[in-house]
Amino acid sequence: MRGLVPLMLLPCALAMAAPPSPSASEHLTEVALSGAVTSSRFTVTTMDYTVPEVQLVRDDGRRVSLPRELDDGRAVVLNFIFTSCSSICPLSSQTLAQFQRDLGAERDQVHLVSISIDPEQDTPARLREYAKKFGAGRGWQHYTGSLEASLAAQRAFDADRGAKMSHSPVILLRGADDRHWRRIDGFITPDELLGEYRKLPARH
Amino acid sequence: MWTAALLAVLLSAPALPHAPDTGTGESIYRSGIGSSGVAITGSRDSSAAVAGADAACANCHRRSGLGQLEGRISIPPISGPYLFHPRAKEGDDLDLPFVESMRPDREPYTEASLAQTIRSGVGPDGRVLSYLMPRYAIGDEDMASLIEYLKGMTPSSVPGVTASVLHFATIITPDADPVRRRATLSVLEQYFTDKNAFARAASERLRSSHRMMFKANRHWMLHVWELSGAPDTWEQQLQLDLRREPVLAVISGAGGSNWSPVHRFCEHASLPCLFPNVELPVVDDRDFYSMYFSRGVLLEADLIAHQLSADREGRSAAQRVVELYRHGDVGAAAAAQLAAAFPDDAYTVLRRPVDGNPGRAGVAAALRDVRPQDIVVLWLRPSDLTELARVPVRARTVYMSALMGGLERTTLPQAWRPVTRMAYPFDLPAGRRIRMDYPLGWFSMRGIAVVDEQVQADTYLACGLLAETLSHMSDSFIRDYLLERLEGMLEHRVITGYYPHLSLAPGQRFASKGGYLVSFDGGQGPGIRAASEWITP
C-alpha cells in the first residue's frame, strides 16, 4: 500500500506498469517525477525466462503444451488478457491486432499468443468471440486452461500479480530462434511494438 | 465534513434510492452512445479508434464514477465533486468520500477546461493524460450532457447510511424452505451481534483519521424483509420495505423456486443484493446489482451436459435422457437448460414431470419405461428420492442434483448409488475441510445449531465478504462502488467456505464457476469421491 502512494499522486500520464525490478522501479519514479511523459509510457528489458511444461486449452478447444506452442519456428508476441476486462486488456489486444495487420507479408512468421488470466470464465468459446471482436488473424491464438495452468504460465513470465484485477500491461517478444525475451512493461503503441519486433535478433 | 453534510441531508429529506439520470450523459458514460443514438469515438495516438461501448467512460472509471486501482495503474474518480473540488494536499482534507485513486492536489477543473481535456488529452496544467485515456471527439451538446451527468454522479445522500449506523436488509421469500430460512437467519443475526460488539469496544481509540473513524464506528443493523403472498406482489412489498427501512444493501437471504421478483426489485432499485441462498438465480448479463455464489442448479445442468457431451464422442446411436422434475420447483428450469444443451440429435431428451404428492408412486410412474441404455437425471428433493427404494434400478447411468437432493447427505437409496453421479457445484468435503474450520468453529462457539451446513457456511461467507469489502471502502459507502470493490476484492479471499475459490470481474455475477461430478463410496456413510476433475463448463 505504502509503495503506491507516490504513484497515486502523479498525473495520470505517468501511471506505470509494475516494473520488473526494484532498481527499475526507482528509475521510473525518478523519470516520472522529473516530468518526462511520453518516453515513460513503457520500458523494455531483456529477460531469460524458462517456460515450464504447462498444458493449456487453445481457443479451438484442443489441449496443447505451452512450450511447444511457443517453439514452433515462429517469432512470438505474448500477452495476458481476460475477456471481462474493460480497461487495460482491450487496449493491449487492440495494439496486438494493429501490430498483426502492420506485419503485412511477415504475418505468418509471428505467432501471437494471448493467455487468459481468468481461465474459469474464459471458455474457448468466449475466447473465440473475443478474438473475433479484435479481428485476430490467422497466427493469433488465445489460450485458457485450469486456474493452476494459467498461473504457472503467468509465473513463468513474472506476470502474476495475485489477482486478475491487479494485472498490469505486459507484452513479451521473442525471436524465432532466440532464447531471450524482450519484456515490455507499460503502454506501447502498435508502431513502437513493430519497432521492437524489428530489433529482435535472428529474424527470418 | 462529509458525514455531517450527509446527516443533514438525511434528516431533512426522506432517503430515497439514488435515481440516476437516464439522459444522454448517462448513455455516453455507460454505453458510449451520444444523442440521437450515435456512437462516441475516441483515439489514442496511432492505435485504432474506439467507439460506442468500447469507448464508454464506465469501462475504466466504473459505473460509480469512483475509478479504480488496476494493479499499479490508478484510474481516478471522475464524478463531479472529484473534478471540481478546490486543491487540497491530501484526500483526507476534502469533504469527499475517500478513494485510493483520487488526486486531491490538482487545480480544479472548470466545465470548459474539462471539455478541453476530454477532447485533447491535455489537462489545464499542461499535463498529458494517460495513454489509457482516449481523446474523445464529442460535440458541444453531448459534452454538456456528459458533464452534467458527471456532476450529479456521486449521490449526496446514501440510503441506509447514517453517521453511526449502516442498515442492511435480508430477504426471505414465502416459498423458502423453513430449514434454509432458519439456517440463514441464525448466522446473519449472530454475525451482526458480533460485529456490533466489536464496533463498540474499539470506537474511541481509532479516531485518528478520517478513514479509520468510519471503519470502526458504524454499527450494522439488519432488517429482515419477509415476503408473503403471490410472487407478483413481492416487488411492491419490497418497495414499501425499502421506503420504510432504507438500506445500503441486501445481504444473503433465502429463496425458494422463484427468486426472480427479488432480483428484479434490486435491479430496479439500484440496490446491491449480495449472495442470497437461492438454488435458481437469475442469469442476465445486462444486470448489475445481484451477485451470487454460483449459477446453482443451472450450473449443475451444465456440469451434466459437459459430461454427456464428453461421453457422446465416438458413439453413433442416439441415447435417451429421461429427466425427472416437479412442476414449480427449480428442477424444471435445470431440466430445460440440460435439454437445450442438445438441440441436435446427440441425445433424445425427455422431460418428465413427477405428479402427485411424494410417496404416491409418482416417481415410479415417471420411470416406468426406462431401459438400461437410457440415462436418468433426477432433479428431485429428498422426499421423492426416498421413493426410489421401491423402484428397480434399470438405467446404468443416473445423474442427480446435489443442491436439490441434499448433497452428500442425500436420501438416495443405497441400491441407486453405484450407478449415480451427482453434479456437485462445491469443493469436495476433503478439499474444503480446513477452510470450513473457521465457520464451523464460529457456529460452535456461538451455539448456532448446524441445520444446513452449506447454507450456513454460505451465509457466514457472505457476511465476511461484506465486512471485508466495507473495510476497503473507507467511508465511501456508495452502492455501485460496493459492488465494484467486491468484484476486485473477491479473488484475494482465501477463506472461501464450500468453494475452492471465488472470483468476479466487471460483468461477472457468479463467483464460483465450476463443480465436480461425484460418485458415492460403497459404504453406508455419506462418503463421496470425485468422478471428474473440476469442470468449468
Side-chain angles (χ1 to χ4, degrees), chain A residues 82 117-121 147 163-165, chain B residues 292-293 486-493 496 499 501-505 508-513:
Chain A
F82 64 104
I117 60 173
D118 188 14
E120 295 210 321
Q121 176 80 7
L147 207 56
K164 64 182 180 303
M165 303 279 275
Chain B
Y292 301 93
F293 281 125
L486 247 170
E487 284 173 1
M489 183 277 287
L490 204 56
E491 205 173 344
H492 295 283
R493 180 87 181 183
T496 49
Y499 306 94
H501 45 261
L502 301 172
S503 152
L504 288 172
Q508 293 182 22
R509 286 297 176 262
F510 302 95
S512 180
K513 273 72 171 178

PDB file of all heavy atoms in Angstrom, chain A residues 82 117-121 147 163-165, chain B residues 292-293 486-493 496 499 501-505 508-513:
ATOM      1  N   PHE A  82      -7.960 -11.042 -20.022  1.00  0.00           N
ATOM      2  CA  PHE A  82      -9.193 -11.767 -19.696  1.00  0.00           C
ATOM      3  C   PHE A  82     -10.352 -11.038 -20.352  1.00  0.00           C
ATOM      4  O   PHE A  82     -10.324  -9.811 -20.499  1.00  0.00           O
ATOM      5  CB  PHE A  82      -9.379 -11.992 -18.196  1.00  0.00           C
ATOM      6  CG  PHE A  82      -9.548 -10.767 -17.336  1.00  0.00           C
ATOM      7  CD1 PHE A  82     -10.801 -10.410 -16.853  1.00  0.00           C
ATOM      8  CD2 PHE A  82      -8.458  -9.997 -16.971  1.00  0.00           C
ATOM      9  CE1 PHE A  82     -10.963  -9.303 -16.023  1.00  0.00           C
ATOM     10  CE2 PHE A  82      -8.605  -8.877 -16.153  1.00  0.00           C
ATOM     11  CZ  PHE A  82      -9.855  -8.538 -15.675  1.00  0.00           C
ATOM     12  N   ILE A 117      -5.984 -14.879 -17.999  1.00  0.00           N
ATOM     13  CA  ILE A 117      -5.693 -14.944 -16.564  1.00  0.00           C
ATOM     14  C   ILE A 117      -6.993 -15.117 -15.772  1.00  0.00           C
ATOM     15  O   ILE A 117      -7.002 -15.007 -14.559  1.00  0.00           O
ATOM     16  CB  ILE A 117      -4.909 -13.698 -16.088  1.00  0.00           C
ATOM     17  CG1 ILE A 117      -5.700 -12.410 -16.332  1.00  0.00           C
ATOM     18  CG2 ILE A 117      -3.557 -13.625 -16.797  1.00  0.00           C
ATOM     19  CD1 ILE A 117      -5.034 -11.171 -15.717  1.00  0.00           C
ATOM     20  N   ASP A 118      -8.076 -15.401 -16.485  1.00  0.00           N
ATOM     21  CA  ASP A 118      -9.367 -15.692 -15.845  1.00  0.00           C
ATOM     22  C   ASP A 118      -9.930 -16.953 -16.503  1.00  0.00           C
ATOM     23  O   ASP A 118     -11.020 -16.950 -17.081  1.00  0.00           O
ATOM     24  CB  ASP A 118     -10.317 -14.495 -16.041  1.00  0.00           C
ATOM     25  CG  ASP A 118     -11.606 -14.630 -15.253  1.00  0.00           C
ATOM     26  OD1 ASP A 118     -11.681 -15.503 -14.359  1.00  0.00           O
ATOM     27  OD2 ASP A 118     -12.549 -13.855 -15.519  1.00  0.00           O
ATOM     28  N   PRO A 119      -9.168 -18.054 -16.432  1.00  0.00           N
ATOM     29  CA  PRO A 119      -9.480 -19.212 -17.284  1.00  0.00           C
ATOM     30  C   PRO A 119     -10.813 -19.885 -16.957  1.00  0.00           C
ATOM     31  O   PRO A 119     -11.400 -20.507 -17.829  1.00  0.00           O
ATOM     32  CB  PRO A 119      -8.306 -20.164 -17.024  1.00  0.00           C
ATOM     33  CG  PRO A 119      -7.777 -19.784 -15.688  1.00  0.00           C
ATOM     34  CD  PRO A 119      -7.988 -18.286 -15.579  1.00  0.00           C
ATOM     35  N   GLU A 120     -11.295 -19.759 -15.719  1.00  0.00           N
ATOM     36  CA  GLU A 120     -12.563 -20.423 -15.398  1.00  0.00           C
ATOM     37  C   GLU A 120     -13.740 -19.726 -16.075  1.00  0.00           C
ATOM     38  O   GLU A 120     -14.748 -20.339 -16.368  1.00  0.00           O
ATOM     39  CB  GLU A 120     -12.772 -20.443 -13.888  1.00  0.00           C
ATOM     40  CG  GLU A 120     -11.725 -21.277 -13.182  1.00  0.00           C
ATOM     41  CD  GLU A 120     -12.244 -21.900 -11.912  1.00  0.00           C
ATOM     42  OE1 GLU A 120     -13.001 -21.233 -11.201  1.00  0.00           O
ATOM     43  OE2 GLU A 120     -11.876 -23.058 -11.642  1.00  0.00           O
ATOM     44  N   GLN A 121     -13.608 -18.441 -16.300  1.00  0.00           N
ATOM     45  CA  GLN A 121     -14.662 -17.702 -17.001  1.00  0.00           C
ATOM     46  C   GLN A 121     -14.452 -17.794 -18.508  1.00  0.00           C
ATOM     47  O   GLN A 121     -15.395 -17.899 -19.276  1.00  0.00           O
ATOM     48  CB  GLN A 121     -14.623 -16.236 -16.550  1.00  0.00           C
ATOM     49  CG  GLN A 121     -15.596 -15.328 -17.262  1.00  0.00           C
ATOM     50  CD  GLN A 121     -17.013 -15.442 -16.715  1.00  0.00           C
ATOM     51  OE1 GLN A 121     -17.251 -16.117 -15.716  1.00  0.00           O
ATOM     52  NE2 GLN A 121     -17.953 -14.807 -17.377  1.00  0.00           N
ATOM     53  N   LEU A 147      -7.051 -23.138 -13.698  1.00  0.00           N
ATOM     54  CA  LEU A 147      -6.538 -21.986 -12.955  1.00  0.00           C
ATOM     55  C   LEU A 147      -5.045 -22.156 -12.676  1.00  0.00           C
ATOM     56  O   LEU A 147      -4.256 -21.218 -12.818  1.00  0.00           O
ATOM     57  CB  LEU A 147      -7.303 -21.907 -11.631  1.00  0.00           C
ATOM     58  CG  LEU A 147      -7.458 -20.561 -10.958  1.00  0.00           C
ATOM     59  CD1 LEU A 147      -8.108 -19.555 -11.872  1.00  0.00           C
ATOM     60  CD2 LEU A 147      -8.291 -20.735  -9.693  1.00  0.00           C
ATOM     61  N   ALA A 163      -3.961 -11.438  -8.555  1.00  0.00           N
ATOM     62  CA  ALA A 163      -5.367 -11.455  -8.949  1.00  0.00           C
ATOM     63  C   ALA A 163      -5.490 -10.782 -10.296  1.00  0.00           C
ATOM     64  O   ALA A 163      -4.722  -9.878 -10.615  1.00  0.00           O
ATOM     65  CB  ALA A 163      -6.226 -10.728  -7.928  1.00  0.00           C
ATOM     66  N   LYS A 164      -6.484 -11.220 -11.059  1.00  0.00           N
ATOM     67  CA  LYS A 164      -6.598 -10.687 -12.417  1.00  0.00           C
ATOM     68  C   LYS A 164      -6.852  -9.188 -12.434  1.00  0.00           C
ATOM     69  O   LYS A 164      -6.431  -8.481 -13.328  1.00  0.00           O
ATOM     70  CB  LYS A 164      -7.681 -11.423 -13.193  1.00  0.00           C
ATOM     71  CG  LYS A 164      -9.070 -11.250 -12.632  1.00  0.00           C
ATOM     72  CD  LYS A 164     -10.079 -12.035 -13.422  1.00  0.00           C
ATOM     73  CE  LYS A 164     -11.475 -11.851 -12.855  1.00  0.00           C
ATOM     74  NZ  LYS A 164     -11.600 -12.231 -11.439  1.00  0.00           N
ATOM     75  N   MET A 165      -7.543  -8.713 -11.388  1.00  0.00           N
ATOM     76  CA  MET A 165      -7.875  -7.295 -11.362  1.00  0.00           C
ATOM     77  C   MET A 165      -6.670  -6.435 -10.951  1.00  0.00           C
ATOM     78  O   MET A 165      -6.757  -5.224 -10.901  1.00  0.00           O
ATOM     79  CB  MET A 165      -9.042  -7.047 -10.404  1.00  0.00           C
ATOM     80  CG  MET A 165     -10.285  -7.846 -10.739  1.00  0.00           C
ATOM     81  SD  MET A 165     -11.295  -7.142 -12.046  1.00  0.00           S
ATOM     82  CE  MET A 165     -12.276  -5.989 -11.092  1.00  0.00           C
TER      83      MET A 165
ATOM     84  N   TYR B 292     -24.167 -13.646  -6.967  1.00  0.00           N
ATOM     85  CA  TYR B 292     -24.492 -14.966  -6.441  1.00  0.00           C
ATOM     86  C   TYR B 292     -23.208 -15.784  -6.291  1.00  0.00           C
ATOM     87  O   TYR B 292     -22.229 -15.536  -6.991  1.00  0.00           O
ATOM     88  CB  TYR B 292     -25.427 -15.703  -7.401  1.00  0.00           C
ATOM     89  CG  TYR B 292     -26.741 -15.010  -7.673  1.00  0.00           C
ATOM     90  CD1 TYR B 292     -26.896 -14.148  -8.762  1.00  0.00           C
ATOM     91  CD2 TYR B 292     -27.835 -15.227  -6.840  1.00  0.00           C
ATOM     92  CE1 TYR B 292     -28.110 -13.516  -9.013  1.00  0.00           C
ATOM     93  CE2 TYR B 292     -29.060 -14.598  -7.095  1.00  0.00           C
ATOM     94  CZ  TYR B 292     -29.188 -13.750  -8.177  1.00  0.00           C
ATOM     95  OH  TYR B 292     -30.397 -13.136  -8.427  1.00  0.00           O
ATOM     96  N   PHE B 293     -23.253 -16.771  -5.399  1.00  0.00           N
ATOM     97  CA  PHE B 293     -22.081 -17.635  -5.278  1.00  0.00           C
ATOM     98  C   PHE B 293     -21.901 -18.495  -6.527  1.00  0.00           C
ATOM     99  O   PHE B 293     -20.795 -18.739  -6.961  1.00  0.00           O
ATOM    100  CB  PHE B 293     -22.176 -18.512  -4.025  1.00  0.00           C
ATOM    101  CG  PHE B 293     -21.802 -17.767  -2.775  1.00  0.00           C
ATOM    102  CD1 PHE B 293     -22.672 -17.700  -1.701  1.00  0.00           C
ATOM    103  CD2 PHE B 293     -20.576 -17.120  -2.676  1.00  0.00           C
ATOM    104  CE1 PHE B 293     -22.325 -17.005  -0.549  1.00  0.00           C
ATOM    105  CE2 PHE B 293     -20.222 -16.414  -1.530  1.00  0.00           C
ATOM    106  CZ  PHE B 293     -21.107 -16.363  -0.469  1.00  0.00           C
ATOM    107  N   LEU B 486     -16.259  -5.244  -4.396  1.00  0.00           N
ATOM    108  CA  LEU B 486     -16.410  -6.691  -4.221  1.00  0.00           C
ATOM    109  C   LEU B 486     -15.801  -7.442  -5.402  1.00  0.00           C
ATOM    110  O   LEU B 486     -15.104  -8.444  -5.229  1.00  0.00           O
ATOM    111  CB  LEU B 486     -17.889  -7.035  -4.100  1.00  0.00           C
ATOM    112  CG  LEU B 486     -18.360  -7.568  -2.757  1.00  0.00           C
ATOM    113  CD1 LEU B 486     -19.867  -7.639  -2.718  1.00  0.00           C
ATOM    114  CD2 LEU B 486     -17.767  -8.927  -2.449  1.00  0.00           C
ATOM    115  N   GLU B 487     -16.063  -6.942  -6.599  1.00  0.00           N
ATOM    116  CA  GLU B 487     -15.503  -7.570  -7.808  1.00  0.00           C
ATOM    117  C   GLU B 487     -13.988  -7.695  -7.687  1.00  0.00           C
ATOM    118  O   GLU B 487     -13.396  -8.710  -8.016  1.00  0.00           O
ATOM    119  CB  GLU B 487     -15.799  -6.714  -9.045  1.00  0.00           C
ATOM    120  CG  GLU B 487     -17.202  -6.800  -9.566  1.00  0.00           C
ATOM    121  CD  GLU B 487     -17.440  -5.777 -10.689  1.00  0.00           C
ATOM    122  OE1 GLU B 487     -16.501  -5.042 -11.038  1.00  0.00           O
ATOM    123  OE2 GLU B 487     -18.574  -5.712 -11.178  1.00  0.00           O
ATOM    124  N   GLY B 488     -13.373  -6.633  -7.222  1.00  0.00           N
ATOM    125  CA  GLY B 488     -11.920  -6.613  -7.180  1.00  0.00           C
ATOM    126  C   GLY B 488     -11.346  -7.378  -6.005  1.00  0.00           C
ATOM    127  O   GLY B 488     -10.266  -7.955  -6.087  1.00  0.00           O
ATOM    128  N   MET B 489     -12.086  -7.394  -4.906  1.00  0.00           N
ATOM    129  CA  MET B 489     -11.568  -7.971  -3.670  1.00  0.00           C
ATOM    130  C   MET B 489     -11.679  -9.491  -3.629  1.00  0.00           C
ATOM    131  O   MET B 489     -10.838 -10.183  -3.054  1.00  0.00           O
ATOM    132  CB  MET B 489     -12.354  -7.344  -2.510  1.00  0.00           C
ATOM    133  CG  MET B 489     -11.933  -7.759  -1.136  1.00  0.00           C
ATOM    134  SD  MET B 489     -12.656  -9.323  -0.627  1.00  0.00           S
ATOM    135  CE  MET B 489     -14.338  -8.809  -0.329  1.00  0.00           C
ATOM    136  N   LEU B 490     -12.721 -10.008  -4.257  1.00  0.00           N
ATOM    137  CA  LEU B 490     -13.111 -11.403  -4.050  1.00  0.00           C
ATOM    138  C   LEU B 490     -11.993 -12.405  -4.310  1.00  0.00           C
ATOM    139  O   LEU B 490     -11.819 -13.378  -3.580  1.00  0.00           O
ATOM    140  CB  LEU B 490     -14.309 -11.703  -4.957  1.00  0.00           C
ATOM    141  CG  LEU B 490     -15.220 -12.834  -4.535  1.00  0.00           C
ATOM    142  CD1 LEU B 490     -15.739 -12.600  -3.132  1.00  0.00           C
ATOM    143  CD2 LEU B 490     -16.373 -12.947  -5.503  1.00  0.00           C
ATOM    144  N   GLU B 491     -11.235 -12.155  -5.349  1.00  0.00           N
ATOM    145  CA  GLU B 491     -10.220 -13.125  -5.748  1.00  0.00           C
ATOM    146  C   GLU B 491      -9.102 -13.268  -4.720  1.00  0.00           C
ATOM    147  O   GLU B 491      -8.407 -14.269  -4.695  1.00  0.00           O
ATOM    148  CB  GLU B 491      -9.651 -12.678  -7.101  1.00  0.00           C
ATOM    149  CG  GLU B 491      -9.075 -13.803  -7.903  1.00  0.00           C
ATOM    150  CD  GLU B 491      -8.681 -13.342  -9.296  1.00  0.00           C
ATOM    151  OE1 GLU B 491      -9.125 -12.255  -9.725  1.00  0.00           O
ATOM    152  OE2 GLU B 491      -7.925 -14.065  -9.945  1.00  0.00           O
ATOM    153  N   HIS B 492      -8.924 -12.263  -3.887  1.00  0.00           N
ATOM    154  CA  HIS B 492      -7.872 -12.316  -2.875  1.00  0.00           C
ATOM    155  C   HIS B 492      -8.287 -13.135  -1.666  1.00  0.00           C
ATOM    156  O   HIS B 492      -7.476 -13.447  -0.812  1.00  0.00           O
ATOM    157  CB  HIS B 492      -7.520 -10.900  -2.412  1.00  0.00           C
ATOM    158  CG  HIS B 492      -6.924 -10.063  -3.495  1.00  0.00           C
ATOM    159  ND1 HIS B 492      -5.613 -10.205  -3.894  1.00  0.00           N
ATOM    160  CD2 HIS B 492      -7.458  -9.103  -4.278  1.00  0.00           C
ATOM    161  CE1 HIS B 492      -5.365  -9.343  -4.866  1.00  0.00           C
ATOM    162  NE2 HIS B 492      -6.469  -8.679  -5.128  1.00  0.00           N
ATOM    163  N   ARG B 493      -9.556 -13.436  -1.584  1.00  0.00           N
ATOM    164  CA  ARG B 493     -10.106 -14.092  -0.422  1.00  0.00           C
ATOM    165  C   ARG B 493      -9.603 -15.530  -0.343  1.00  0.00           C
ATOM    166  O   ARG B 493      -9.714 -16.285  -1.305  1.00  0.00           O
ATOM    167  CB  ARG B 493     -11.633 -14.063  -0.548  1.00  0.00           C
ATOM    168  CG  ARG B 493     -12.377 -14.700   0.550  1.00  0.00           C
ATOM    169  CD  ARG B 493     -12.608 -13.730   1.674  1.00  0.00           C
ATOM    170  NE  ARG B 493     -13.320 -14.412   2.749  1.00  0.00           N
ATOM    171  CZ  ARG B 493     -13.726 -13.823   3.855  1.00  0.00           C
ATOM    172  NH1 ARG B 493     -13.495 -12.541   4.036  1.00  0.00           N
ATOM    173  NH2 ARG B 493     -14.348 -14.500   4.788  1.00  0.00           N
ATOM    174  N   THR B 496     -12.846 -19.397   1.709  1.00  0.00           N
ATOM    175  CA  THR B 496     -13.984 -19.332   0.799  1.00  0.00           C
ATOM    176  C   THR B 496     -15.001 -20.452   1.028  1.00  0.00           C
ATOM    177  O   THR B 496     -15.731 -20.832   0.116  1.00  0.00           O
ATOM    178  CB  THR B 496     -13.489 -19.366  -0.668  1.00  0.00           C
ATOM    179  OG1 THR B 496     -12.561 -20.448  -0.805  1.00  0.00           O
ATOM    180  CG2 THR B 496     -12.798 -18.083  -1.041  1.00  0.00           C
ATOM    181  N   TYR B 499     -16.429 -23.294  -1.403  1.00  0.00           N
ATOM    182  CA  TYR B 499     -15.943 -23.114  -2.774  1.00  0.00           C
ATOM    183  C   TYR B 499     -14.418 -23.137  -2.818  1.00  0.00           C
ATOM    184  O   TYR B 499     -13.767 -22.577  -1.944  1.00  0.00           O
ATOM    185  CB  TYR B 499     -16.473 -21.789  -3.338  1.00  0.00           C
ATOM    186  CG  TYR B 499     -17.974 -21.701  -3.225  1.00  0.00           C
ATOM    187  CD1 TYR B 499     -18.567 -21.086  -2.125  1.00  0.00           C
ATOM    188  CD2 TYR B 499     -18.782 -22.318  -4.166  1.00  0.00           C
ATOM    189  CE1 TYR B 499     -19.957 -21.052  -1.990  1.00  0.00           C
ATOM    190  CE2 TYR B 499     -20.163 -22.285  -4.038  1.00  0.00           C
ATOM    191  CZ  TYR B 499     -20.748 -21.655  -2.945  1.00  0.00           C
ATOM    192  OH  TYR B 499     -22.116 -21.644  -2.818  1.00  0.00           O
ATOM    193  N   HIS B 501     -12.467 -21.530  -4.803  1.00  0.00           N
ATOM    194  CA  HIS B 501     -12.035 -20.146  -4.903  1.00  0.00           C
ATOM    195  C   HIS B 501     -13.175 -19.345  -5.513  1.00  0.00           C
ATOM    196  O   HIS B 501     -14.068 -19.907  -6.144  1.00  0.00           O
ATOM    197  CB  HIS B 501     -10.773 -19.989  -5.752  1.00  0.00           C
ATOM    198  CG  HIS B 501     -10.825 -20.768  -7.024  1.00  0.00           C
ATOM    199  ND1 HIS B 501     -10.217 -21.989  -7.165  1.00  0.00           N
ATOM    200  CD2 HIS B 501     -11.463 -20.528  -8.189  1.00  0.00           C
ATOM    201  CE1 HIS B 501     -10.474 -22.454  -8.378  1.00  0.00           C
ATOM    202  NE2 HIS B 501     -11.225 -21.592  -9.009  1.00  0.00           N
ATOM    203  N   LEU B 502     -13.138 -18.059  -5.309  1.00  0.00           N
ATOM    204  CA  LEU B 502     -14.181 -17.177  -5.809  1.00  0.00           C
ATOM    205  C   LEU B 502     -13.528 -16.086  -6.634  1.00  0.00           C
ATOM    206  O   LEU B 502     -12.394 -15.689  -6.369  1.00  0.00           O
ATOM    207  CB  LEU B 502     -14.939 -16.540  -4.641  1.00  0.00           C
ATOM    208  CG  LEU B 502     -15.618 -17.498  -3.666  1.00  0.00           C
ATOM    209  CD1 LEU B 502     -16.158 -16.736  -2.466  1.00  0.00           C
ATOM    210  CD2 LEU B 502     -16.741 -18.263  -4.350  1.00  0.00           C
ATOM    211  N   SER B 503     -14.253 -15.606  -7.614  1.00  0.00           N
ATOM    212  CA  SER B 503     -13.695 -14.548  -8.443  1.00  0.00           C
ATOM    213  C   SER B 503     -14.805 -13.864  -9.228  1.00  0.00           C
ATOM    214  O   SER B 503     -15.728 -14.513  -9.717  1.00  0.00           O
ATOM    215  CB  SER B 503     -12.651 -15.178  -9.374  1.00  0.00           C
ATOM    216  OG  SER B 503     -12.523 -14.458 -10.553  1.00  0.00           O
ATOM    217  N   LEU B 504     -14.734 -12.549  -9.299  1.00  0.00           N
ATOM    218  CA  LEU B 504     -15.673 -11.790 -10.119  1.00  0.00           C
ATOM    219  C   LEU B 504     -14.892 -10.769 -10.930  1.00  0.00           C
ATOM    220  O   LEU B 504     -13.694 -10.583 -10.720  1.00  0.00           O
ATOM    221  CB  LEU B 504     -16.709 -11.079  -9.244  1.00  0.00           C
ATOM    222  CG  LEU B 504     -17.784 -11.942  -8.577  1.00  0.00           C
ATOM    223  CD1 LEU B 504     -18.602 -11.124  -7.590  1.00  0.00           C
ATOM    224  CD2 LEU B 504     -18.708 -12.579  -9.612  1.00  0.00           C
ATOM    225  N   ALA B 505     -15.567 -10.119 -11.820  1.00  0.00           N
ATOM    226  CA  ALA B 505     -14.969  -9.073 -12.641  1.00  0.00           C
ATOM    227  C   ALA B 505     -16.131  -8.245 -13.179  1.00  0.00           C
ATOM    228  O   ALA B 505     -17.291  -8.643 -13.033  1.00  0.00           O
ATOM    229  CB  ALA B 505     -14.167  -9.686 -13.794  1.00  0.00           C
ATOM    230  N   GLN B 508     -19.320  -9.920 -14.429  1.00  0.00           N
ATOM    231  CA  GLN B 508     -19.471 -11.281 -13.893  1.00  0.00           C
ATOM    232  C   GLN B 508     -20.251 -11.211 -12.589  1.00  0.00           C
ATOM    233  O   GLN B 508     -19.936 -10.400 -11.725  1.00  0.00           O
ATOM    234  CB  GLN B 508     -18.109 -11.923 -13.631  1.00  0.00           C
ATOM    235  CG  GLN B 508     -17.306 -12.202 -14.884  1.00  0.00           C
ATOM    236  CD  GLN B 508     -15.978 -12.886 -14.553  1.00  0.00           C
ATOM    237  OE1 GLN B 508     -15.810 -13.502 -13.504  1.00  0.00           O
ATOM    238  NE2 GLN B 508     -15.014 -12.753 -15.454  1.00  0.00           N
ATOM    239  N   ARG B 509     -21.227 -12.094 -12.438  1.00  0.00           N
ATOM    240  CA  ARG B 509     -22.061 -12.047 -11.247  1.00  0.00           C
ATOM    241  C   ARG B 509     -22.167 -13.397 -10.537  1.00  0.00           C
ATOM    242  O   ARG B 509     -22.945 -13.547  -9.613  1.00  0.00           O
ATOM    243  CB  ARG B 509     -23.452 -11.515 -11.615  1.00  0.00           C
ATOM    244  CG  ARG B 509     -23.439  -9.994 -11.895  1.00  0.00           C
ATOM    245  CD  ARG B 509     -23.038  -9.227 -10.645  1.00  0.00           C
ATOM    246  NE  ARG B 509     -22.887  -7.791 -10.791  1.00  0.00           N
ATOM    247  CZ  ARG B 509     -21.708  -7.172 -10.964  1.00  0.00           C
ATOM    248  NH1 ARG B 509     -20.585  -7.878 -11.051  1.00  0.00           N
ATOM    249  NH2 ARG B 509     -21.625  -5.871 -11.021  1.00  0.00           N
ATOM    250  N   PHE B 510     -21.393 -14.397 -10.985  1.00  0.00           N
ATOM    251  CA  PHE B 510     -21.428 -15.716 -10.344  1.00  0.00           C
ATOM    252  C   PHE B 510     -20.000 -16.060  -9.930  1.00  0.00           C
ATOM    253  O   PHE B 510     -19.130 -16.275 -10.777  1.00  0.00           O
ATOM    254  CB  PHE B 510     -22.037 -16.741 -11.289  1.00  0.00           C
ATOM    255  CG  PHE B 510     -23.425 -16.353 -11.705  1.00  0.00           C
ATOM    256  CD1 PHE B 510     -23.648 -15.661 -12.887  1.00  0.00           C
ATOM    257  CD2 PHE B 510     -24.495 -16.620 -10.871  1.00  0.00           C
ATOM    258  CE1 PHE B 510     -24.925 -15.244 -13.241  1.00  0.00           C
ATOM    259  CE2 PHE B 510     -25.774 -16.209 -11.217  1.00  0.00           C
ATOM    260  CZ  PHE B 510     -25.991 -15.531 -12.411  1.00  0.00           C
ATOM    261  N   ALA B 511     -19.783 -16.095  -8.622  1.00  0.00           N
ATOM    262  CA  ALA B 511     -18.405 -16.066  -8.120  1.00  0.00           C
ATOM    263  C   ALA B 511     -17.678 -17.397  -8.269  1.00  0.00           C
ATOM    264  O   ALA B 511     -16.482 -17.422  -8.498  1.00  0.00           O
ATOM    265  CB  ALA B 511     -18.405 -15.634  -6.655  1.00  0.00           C
ATOM    266  N   SER B 512     -18.395 -18.510  -8.142  1.00  0.00           N
ATOM    267  CA  SER B 512     -17.765 -19.812  -8.320  1.00  0.00           C
ATOM    268  C   SER B 512     -18.257 -20.398  -9.632  1.00  0.00           C
ATOM    269  O   SER B 512     -19.459 -20.471  -9.867  1.00  0.00           O
ATOM    270  CB  SER B 512     -18.096 -20.748  -7.158  1.00  0.00           C
ATOM    271  OG  SER B 512     -17.463 -21.994  -7.355  1.00  0.00           O
ATOM    272  N   LYS B 513     -17.337 -20.794 -10.481  1.00  0.00           N
ATOM    273  CA  LYS B 513     -17.704 -21.107 -11.864  1.00  0.00           C
ATOM    274  C   LYS B 513     -17.858 -22.592 -12.157  1.00  0.00           C
ATOM    275  O   LYS B 513     -18.228 -22.954 -13.267  1.00  0.00           O
ATOM    276  CB  LYS B 513     -16.631 -20.562 -12.812  1.00  0.00           C
ATOM    277  CG  LYS B 513     -16.771 -19.129 -13.267  1.00  0.00           C
ATOM    278  CD  LYS B 513     -16.497 -18.099 -12.296  1.00  0.00           C
ATOM    279  CE  LYS B 513     -16.443 -16.714 -12.889  1.00  0.00           C
ATOM    280  NZ  LYS B 513     -16.200 -15.715 -11.859  1.00  0.00           N
TER     281      LYS B 513
END
